[in-house]
């Protein structure tokens, strides 16, 4: 009743391209350093082309899409600078490689839980790329990042880590912005499950539960998503929420708070310390 998805051959190719196959190379416990963010590093030296940066990023994207969702944040951060990588970006890619070196045979363990139906875990990091040295020069430092997992029967079937196109003005707004992005992917899955039920396929309920991480000031995000309470300061959020409001009103989608330590989507929004990273990886990847 358990399936394990892994891509050790692809990881071995990545390690060879990065020249990290030597047994003396020490693995890393996480795919990104939690102490320092990867930014533009405009004043740094250009990347020395010791490996094909874009080729490695392409292979890492394929790996993330196939079996290693826990690396999505680190890979996307490095991919943002593929057009003009600096030495720091090369170091960050090698850091990912050293993490993969220690987990080459791991992947995603699929163990269905019949008690669970369609669940969506959404999280956002408000202006997480803010950099004092670049503030005012680089608009990307003002953009928030959101991430989401769509799971069915306790198994992840889709995930994404992405910078938001809109500039959120608060943590509540960044959370509100993340929900529609996730539900644009989840609602078609709900409709597919409903059609399968109508055709007589023996599947579970198609009712989705959207779990949104609640910060101290993010109870407002959940309240706005659950009830149509718009004020002059929040009416600009109407368009963002309108496309899934009817599903909430019809009770096809329900919004629930979730504790920070139980929110697996946190792994898609920021670099975490080893303890938090491994806890969320266990929830999603099963190891």
């Amino acid at each position: 009743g358990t399936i394990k998805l892994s891509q050790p051959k692809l990881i071995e190719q990545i390690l060879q391209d990065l020249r990290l196959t030597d047994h003396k190379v020490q693995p890393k416990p996480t795919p990104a350093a939690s102490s320092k963010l990867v930014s533009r590093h405009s004043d740094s030296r250009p990347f020395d082309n010791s490996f094909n940066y874009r080729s490695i990023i392409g292979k890492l994207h394929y790996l993330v899409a196939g079996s290693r969702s826990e690396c999505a944040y680190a890979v996307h951060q490095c991919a943002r600078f593929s057009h003009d990588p600096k030495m720091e970006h090369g170091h960050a890619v090698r850091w990912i490689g050293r993490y993969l070196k220690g987990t080459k045979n791991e992947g995603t363990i699929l163990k269905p839980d019949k008690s669970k139906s369609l669940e969506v875990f959404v999280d956002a990091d408000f202006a997480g790329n803010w950099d004092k040295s670049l503030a005012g020069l680089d608009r990307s430092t003002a953009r928030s990042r959101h991430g989401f997992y769509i799971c069915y029967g306790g198994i992840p079937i889709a995930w994404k880590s992405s910078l938001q196109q809109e500039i959120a003005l608060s943590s509540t707004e960044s959370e509100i912005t993340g929900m529609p992005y996730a539900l644009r992917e989840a609602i078609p899955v709900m409709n597919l499950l409903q059609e399968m039920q109508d055709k007589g396929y023996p599947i579970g309920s198609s009712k989705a539960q959207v779990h949104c991480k609640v910060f101290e000031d993010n109870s407002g995000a959940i309240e706005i998503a659950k009830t149509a309470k718009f004020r002059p300061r929040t009416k600009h959020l109407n368009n963002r929420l309108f496309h899934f409001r009817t599903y909430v009103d019809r009770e096809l989608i329900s919004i629930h708070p979730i504790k920070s330590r139980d929110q697996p989507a946190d792994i898609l929004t920021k670099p975490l310390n080893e303890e938090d990273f491994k806890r969320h990886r266990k929830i999603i990847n099963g190891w």
Side-chain angles (χ1 to χ4, degrees), residues 177-206:
T177 301
M179 281 192 208
Y181 280 101
L183 288 170
R184 287 174 197 170
E185 305 288 339
I187 288 174
V189 177
M190 292 173 56
N191 294 336
L192 176 62
L193 292 174
Q194 185 61 56
E195 184 176 351
M196 292 175 69
Q197 279 190 326
D198 294 342
K199 297 292 185 179
Y201 286 89
I203 61 175
S205 170
S206 61

Side-chain angles (χ1 to χ4, degrees), residues 162 237 277:
S162 176
L237 301 178
F277 175 81

Side-chain angles (χ1 to χ4, degrees), residues 44-96:
S44 299
R45 289 182 295 134
F47 176 58
D48 60 6
N49 294 317
S50 55
F51 59 84
N52 189 323
Y53 193 95
R54 293 189 179 188
S55 174
I56 292 294
I57 291 298
K59 291 178 180 179
L60 288 172
H61 271 308
Y62 189 79
L63 181 67
V64 166
S67 62
R68 301 300 294 268
S69 63
E70 84 276 14
C71 298
Y73 166 80
V75 172
H76 188 268
Q77 277 291 88
C78 292
R80 291 175 55 213
F81 308 103
S82 296
H83 65 289
D84 185 24
K86 304 296 184 180
M87 291 300 295
E88 287 83 354
H89 304 136
H91 294 324
V93 172
R94 286 195 176 92
W95 186 298
I96 298 173

